[in-house]
Amino acid sequence: MSAVISSQVVLSRTPEGPLAAYIGSFANALNTLGYAVSSVHRQVRIAACFSRWLGQERVALQSVTADHPVRYLQCRAQHLRSCPGDLAALRHFIDFLRREGVVPAEKIAVQQLTPIDRCAEAYEQYLREARALARATIVNYVPFIRDFLSHRFGDGPVMLSRLCAGDVVRFVQCQAPRLHRRRAKLMTSALRSFLSYARYRGDVAVDLAAAVPIVPNWSMMSIPRAIAPDQVRQLLASIDRRTAIGRRDYAILLLLARLGLRSGEVASLKLDDIDWRVGRLTVCGKSGHRGGLPLPPEVGKAIAAYLQRGRPHSTSRCVFLRAKAPVRGFQGASGVGSIVRHALQRAGVDAPTTGTHQFRHGLATEMLRKGASLGEIGDVLGHRHLQTTKIYTKIDIVALRTLALPWPGGAQ
């Protein structure tokens, strides 16, 4: 006898077993997340078979664990051919049951922390709570400190009071030759931060941060790689705005090119961040700093077109959503970077890079050439220090040529 599970799924028999009562809710959850009808039907069908097997094995509801899907598929493989997505479907089902509070969360065995782990975690907490540093900075700093502690103390106890200047110098001399100049400079910055933290705690009496060797780093030695205005126009013209994905990608590219947003800022943009009445956008930048920017009509129209005729139905407050299930906001900056990379490839644009930062550089370059001050450029790009913006003075080639001295002898 067939059983109607949802408006889109009908099974050949009524679900049985300890999880049968939750099959319909699981189907509705998959529909909400934007899965295709065929995918919903396949996942619901194997979930129902899994529940029936649990009943046959006399597994109680509160006893279901992440191991049971694996055991079920091993048993099922003896008489039926498995499909590649079966295990993933059952894991989706288990995750759904956990979110609903039906199945208890897995108990994760608590691992014994090493002395280095405890010291590194305390430092990480200090950076996050006391210093309020950006997550990216913390992620970059902590591994260097783990390496430093391992280099000095090995598997033994970590006694910061025994650190001396020689320990610091030897570590930098050992590691710096293996690293790119920028990574080596980042390592020394992490060491100075950690040694200042150790002194702040009272574990170190002297200023060991001053003993960290300096990695040569000439200010603004490189030129920002900026995408050219004609390349931006070619890229935008290549987007098919007749499709939902095209309208989304076009709006994202405009935010990058016209406002110079970082990829992470685009990914984290929420519906509440747009004030349509006054035409203003609130952006959450580095270190949680929030700033406002005027919303150009061109950008506002593109976002509105996506919201009205492209954005999937979702409870998410993120402006931009994934096009494929599960439909939700981007997990991070990499999603926006992927959109840019594929758009450049499809358009055949020979851009300086395949990343998103070239749009910030391109915007700053154009503003400088049109007479904008460094302060105005820094305000648009969300720079908190003028020194960060000064690098763009190197790319105003026309202005720099006026400063060049004649070559002796008249040669050009």
Side-chain angles (χ1 to χ4, degrees), residues 189-203:
S189 296
L191 280 175
R192 292 188 189 97
S193 169
F194 176 73
L195 294 171
S196 297
Y197 156 77
R199 191 182 185 191
Y200 160 79
R201 280 173 48 99
D203 296 322

Side-chain angles (χ1 to χ4, degrees), residues 80-365:
L80 283 177
R81 183 178 178 180
S82 297
C83 296
D86 288 348
L87 182 57
L90 290 179
R91 284 175 175 165
H92 288 168
F93 188 35
I94 294 293
D95 289 342
F96 164 77
L97 295 172
R98 285 177 182 157
R99 290 194 299 270
E100 295 296 310
V102 177
V103 171
E106 285 287 298
K107 293 182 179 180
I108 302 175
V110 179
Q111 296 182 348
Q112 189 68 30
L113 294 179
T114 67
I116 290 178
D117 290 334
R118 286 193 292 270
C119 186
E121 287 188 3
Y123 171 62
E124 181 178 347
Q125 183 179 5
Y126 163 78
L127 294 180
R128 184 175 59 253
E129 298 179 3
R131 296 291 309 282
L133 295 186
R135 181 177 178 274
T137 302
I138 297 174
V139 168
N140 280 318
Y141 276 16
V142 173
F144 286 125
I145 301 311
R146 288 182 180 275
D147 292 342
F148 171 63
L149 295 174
S150 178
H151 183 270
R152 172 59 180 83
F153 299 105
D155 297 329
V158 174
M159 304 180 70
L160 299 181
S161 59
R162 294 188 177 181
L163 288 175
C164 65
D167 298 326
V168 178
V169 172
R170 281 190 292 272
F171 175 73
V172 174
Q173 289 176 336
C174 176
Q175 296 294 322
R178 308 175 185 177
L179 301 173
H180 185 275
R181 178 182 51 81
R182 290 183 179 178
R183 291 290 295 172
K185 184 173 176 60
L186 185 62
M187 175 187 67
T188 56
S189 296
L191 280 175
R192 292 188 189 97
S193 169
F194 176 73
L195 294 171
S196 297
Y197 156 77
R199 191 182 185 191
Y200 160 79
R201 280 173 48 99
D203 296 322
V204 175
V206 297
D207 184 15
L208 289 180
V212 179
I214 297 175
V215 176
N217 182 40
W218 291 273
S219 177
M220 303 188 299
M221 65 178 295
S222 61
I223 296 178
R225 291 185 286 180
I227 187 170
D230 59 335
Q231 291 179 320
V232 174
R233 287 191 290 270
Q234 180 184 346
L235 179 63
L236 292 173
S238 71
I239 303 297
D240 184 2
R241 285 182 278 166
R242 296 171 297 180
T243 67
I245 294 178
R247 284 188 279 271
R248 181 200 65 184
D249 294 355
Y250 184 75
I252 288 175
L253 289 169
L254 277 180
L255 283 170
L256 296 171
R258 301 293 187 254
L259 294 179
L261 297 191
R262 301 177 180 90
S263 53
E265 293 169 345
V266 174
S268 63
L269 195 64
K270 300 294 189 293
L271 295 172
D272 303 317
D273 294 333
I274 306 176
D275 190 334
W276 296 102
R277 184 176 57 84
V278 299
R280 195 163 183 81
L281 196 68
T282 300
V283 178
C284 183
K286 289 185 175 180
S287 302
H289 175 72
R290 296 183 70 83
L293 289 172
L295 184 63
E298 178 189 19
V299 182
K301 288 179 182 178
I303 296 176
Y306 167 66
L307 295 178
Q308 294 171 344
R309 297 180 289 114
R311 187 177 185 271
H313 295 291
S314 173
T315 59
S316 173
R317 300 301 295 171
C318 293
V319 173
F320 300 107
L321 303 179
R322 286 164 41 97
K324 296 181 179 179
V327 175
R328 61 190 180 200
F330 297 114
Q331 295 296 94
S334 60
V336 176
S338 178
I339 288 173
V340 170
R341 185 170 61 255
H342 288 108
L344 289 169
Q345 291 174 350
R346 287 193 301 268
V349 175
D350 186 21
T353 75
T354 59
T356 60
H357 232 63
Q358 61 183 320
F359 293 96
R360 285 173 65 81
H361 296 326
L363 177 64
T365 302

Side-chain angles (χ1 to χ4, degrees), residues 46 69-70 72-87:
I46 194 167
V70 177
Y72 162 66
L73 291 176
Q74 290 174 344
C75 179
R76 186 172 183 261
Q78 297 176 5
H79 52 87
L80 283 177
R81 183 178 178 180
S82 297
C83 296
D86 288 348
L87 182 57

